Each structure stands twice: as structure tokens, then as C-alpha cells.
Amino acid sequence: MYQNEGLNKRDEFAKDEIIIQAQKLFMQFGLKKTTMDEIAMACGKAKSTLYHYFKNKDEVFDAVLDKEIKSLRTVVNEEVSKQTSLKGILQSYFITFHQETIHRINLYRIIKPELNIELSAKDRFNIVLDFEINYVNSFIEKGIENKELTGIEMEKSRWFTELMLVAFLGIVKHSVNNENEIDIKELNLVAEVLISRLII
């Protein structure tokens, strides 16, 4: 994953500009058909400048994915923070994460097969899952403390969260693979039914 550590503001700006322009090209032409020359041209920079910040095109693509994941997490966190109950938090998380993931995949529909390979090849799914487990588990632990979630001991909270998220992300993956259009009513119904089984 790309890092901005050790970069000054000018370097950060230049690197971010490369990522933004590359993102547009990847959406339009795909990963394989986009070249470093085209990214450099879109940025108005020499190709050597790109190699100052990125070793190759795959590293640029990694940075674009990181940007998308951070953007998704920002939107999800904004919606989740509006909720006060564990049930509301989990429903908001489920719906917003699902919607935002499908939206972003649709933007990259042209490179969907490449994206699936990229995610699997670099084990990015497990990296994302680990982050999400830590994020959601913080709410689960608080729910156990507040007696909103019963029947789960605190030491089992991470195990519970992991199984719940694997099932949840399986639904998201199913929607992505089958190119399902989002039906908000159906999505809310699924969230209500599933989460109501967990939270009393």
C-alpha cells in the first residue's frame, strides 16, 4: 500500500494528483490498457516523475484502491456515527457498506475481472476484513457491556464479529459478482431480519 510518510506537502500534492488522474484512466480504460505514459500525460508530468513516487503501474493501482477504501470507510463512519444503539449501528454499517461498495464497483465495471484478480492476488480481502473486524468489534464489545447483546461473552466477541462479517461480506460479494442493482427496501429488509436475530 502506498504511503505518504516522509513526503513534504509538495510531494504529497504531486503524488495525490497522479493517483487522481490514474483513477480516471483506470475507470475509463482498465488496468491492462492504461500505461504509465498515459498517466504521466494526464498529469502533465514526465514519466520519470511518476517513477519517483511509484515503482510501477501496479503500485499506482494499489494507491488508487487505497484511496477508494479510505473514501468508503469515511462514508460508512459518518453514517454509523449518527446511530446510538447497537442495532442501529449494525444496520447502518450493513446498508452503507453494501451500497458504497456496489457503487464503487460499478464505477470500475470495466476492470471488474482485473479487480477481482488484484484483490485475491494481494490478499487484500483479508487486509480489509481485519480492519473491518476491529472496527465492528469495538461496537460489539460496547454492546455486550451495555447488555444490548446477550449470550456472547466478551472474550468471544472477536470470534462472533468475524463470523458475522464473513457472512455479511459474502452477501456484498454475491451482489458484486451478480451485478445486482441495489434495492434499498430489500437491503433494509435483509438488514432488519439478520440483525434482529442477533440483537434483542
Side-chain angles (χ1 to χ4, degrees):
M1 295 185 181
Y2 97 99
Q3 301 286 334
N4 274 348
E5 295 178 5
L7 297 179
N8 58 38
K9 288 188 177 181
R10 182 179 177 182
D11 283 335
E12 287 181 10
F13 180 82
K15 194 167 186 177
D16 287 342
E17 179 63 19
I18 293 169
I19 294 168
I20 291 169
Q21 296 305 323
Q23 184 178 33
K24 294 176 182 177
L25 291 172
F26 289 143
M27 284 181 185
Q28 187 174 357
F29 301 111
L31 175 60
K32 290 182 179 178
K33 293 184 179 179
T34 300
T35 66
M36 291 292 271
D37 285 313
E38 289 168 336
I39 296 172
M41 187 178 299
C43 296
K45 301 181 184 301
K47 188 163 70 169
S48 59
T49 302
L50 269 65
Y51 285 112
H52 175 71
Y53 299 107
F54 301 98
K55 293 178 182 178
N56 49 48
K57 185 175 64 174
D58 286 341
E59 197 168 280
V60 177
F61 190 63
D62 273 350
V64 170
L65 288 181
D66 282 345
K67 176 181 170 66
E68 287 290 4
I69 291 170
K70 288 174 183 176
S71 173
L72 183 151
R73 284 175 176 152
T74 297
V75 175
V76 169
N77 193 54
E78 286 175 355
E79 293 303 313
V80 166
S81 65
K82 297 175 184 177
Q83 306 298 321
T84 56
S85 69
L86 178 59
K87 182 177 179 180
I89 287 170
L90 293 180
Q91 285 181 327
S92 180
Y93 176 85
F94 178 96
I95 292 167
T96 307
F97 193 102
H98 192 284
Q99 286 179 299
E100 290 299 315
T101 300
I102 299 300
H103 172 66
R104 283 166 171 74
I105 290 295
N106 284 341
L107 291 177
Y108 289 91
R109 190 171 297 280
I110 190 172
I111 59 169
K112 184 178 164 186
E114 299 172 6
L115 185 57
N116 285 337
I117 292 171
E118 185 74 12
L119 291 173
S120 299
K122 300 204 172 178
D123 206 23
R124 189 176 291 270
F125 176 81
N126 286 333
I127 295 173
V128 171
L129 178 61
D130 191 58
F131 180 94
E132 299 305 322
I133 288 173
N134 290 329
Y135 177 70
V136 175
N137 192 57
S138 66
F139 300 118
I140 294 296
E141 288 184 346
K142 187 174 180 181
I144 293 173
E145 289 177 357
N146 296 338
K147 310 295 184 185
E148 291 183 87
L149 179 59
T150 59
I152 302 294
E153 298 174 355
M154 187 64 76
E155 57 266 26
K156 297 287 186 180
S157 67
R158 185 175 175 85
W159 167 83
F160 175 82
T161 303
E162 184 173 352
L163 289 184
M164 182 179 67
L165 278 178
V166 168
F168 160 64
L169 292 175
I171 295 173
V172 175
K173 187 175 181 181
H174 175 75
S175 295
V176 170
N177 289 340
N178 290 279
E179 301 184 357
N180 292 349
E181 293 296 325
I182 297 174
D183 187 312
I184 303 301
K185 289 183 179 179
E186 289 182 359
L187 194 57
N188 274 284
L189 177 60
V190 171
E192 175 68 29
V193 171
L194 291 180
I195 295 168
S196 293
R197 297 287 191 276
L198 301 174
I199 310 302
I200 298 175

